[in-house]
Amino acid sequence: MTNSTNRKLASIVAADVVGYSAMMADDEIGTLNTMRALKKDLIEPIVAKRGGHIVKTMGDGFLIDFSSAVESVEAAVELQETLKAQNANDAFTKNINMRVGVHIGDVVIEDGDIFGDGVNIAARIEPLASPGGISVSDEAYRQIVGKIDVEWIDGGEHNVKNIPRPVRIWHWGGGPVPSKKLFAADLSVTYLPSIAVLPF
């Protein structure tokens, strides 16, 4: 008997809260309560409405899968627009901002979790979104273009950590997007300022 690996094609959403560590340092209990409310009152209803599944939460982050690229991006847009409106009204979110990355890819299913390049790419392009915005891979963009009434900005190709090929991304929403040059850097490297001493 041959063992088979359970796989599926999924639209993967990786999302996290901007500035979570600073929020925890400022008010640990309050931040944990806010995160619980964020998940229960906002993210879970939006995901369920579009047939998605929250695979897991990681402190400040969420990994969600959908069977449809359109449904996944519509959910991401609704999440960001709802957060923006609630922040304006100083609701329970306490000015929470999130970044979201979306990618379509083949994933491995094991013990209720999902793995593989599909997950890794979604996780790598999520930090490339601006706060309050969404970044989608070119694979996801090709599935949603013309089907969702929002405008996308071509973010170009980027080299991201542990992915052997450049990933082209598209941006929606949020504030100004950092330069392409910054995005292309290895995200595992911390850059420090340097001083050059020149002769007179």
Side-chain angles (χ1 to χ4, degrees), residues 9-80:
L9 187 66
S11 186
I12 306 107
V13 174
D16 82 350
V17 173
V18 179
Y20 177 78
S21 296
M23 292 167 59
M24 285 290 285
D26 182 58
D27 181 4
E28 194 173 75
I29 300 302
T31 298
L32 291 174
N33 289 335
T34 298
M35 292 297 294
R36 291 190 193 100
L38 175 69
K39 181 183 177 185
K40 179 177 181 294
D41 298 336
L42 184 59
I43 295 177
E44 286 182 351
I46 289 174
V47 170
K49 180 169 66 174
R50 290 185 165 79
H53 167 65
I54 299 176
V55 178
K56 61 183 174 183
T57 60
M58 302 84 70
D60 63 340
F62 302 86
L63 182 66
I64 309 166
D65 76 349
F66 292 80
S67 60
S68 161
V70 172
E71 296 283 7
S72 68
V73 175
E74 284 183 337
V77 171
E78 182 178 356
L79 170 63
Q80 295 290 44

Side-chain angles (χ1 to χ4, degrees), residues 8-9 15 23 26 33 51 54 60 62-63 69 71 80 86 96 103 115 141 144 148 157 165 175 179:
K8 69 176 182 178
L9 187 66
M23 292 167 59
D26 182 58
N33 289 335
I54 299 176
D60 63 340
F62 302 86
L63 182 66
E71 296 283 7
Q80 295 290 44
Q86 290 184 342
I96 281 183
H103 174 63
F115 305 91
Y141 177 77
I144 65 172
I148 300 176
E157 291 189 338
R165 56 184 173 79
S179 70

Side-chain angles (χ1 to χ4, degrees), residues 151-167:
E151 293 186 5
W152 297 91
I153 298 172
D154 187 348
E157 291 189 338
H158 303 271
N159 297 312
V160 295
K161 184 180 178 183
N162 294 335
I163 303 299
R165 56 184 173 79
V167 177

Side-chain angles (χ1 to χ4, degrees), residues 10 35 44 64 71-72 81 114 116-117 130 138 147 183 191:
M35 292 297 294
E44 286 182 351
I64 309 166
E71 296 283 7
S72 68
E81 289 183 335
I114 57 176
D117 277 354
S130 59
D138 200 47
K147 299 175 183 175
F183 282 166
Y191 293 94

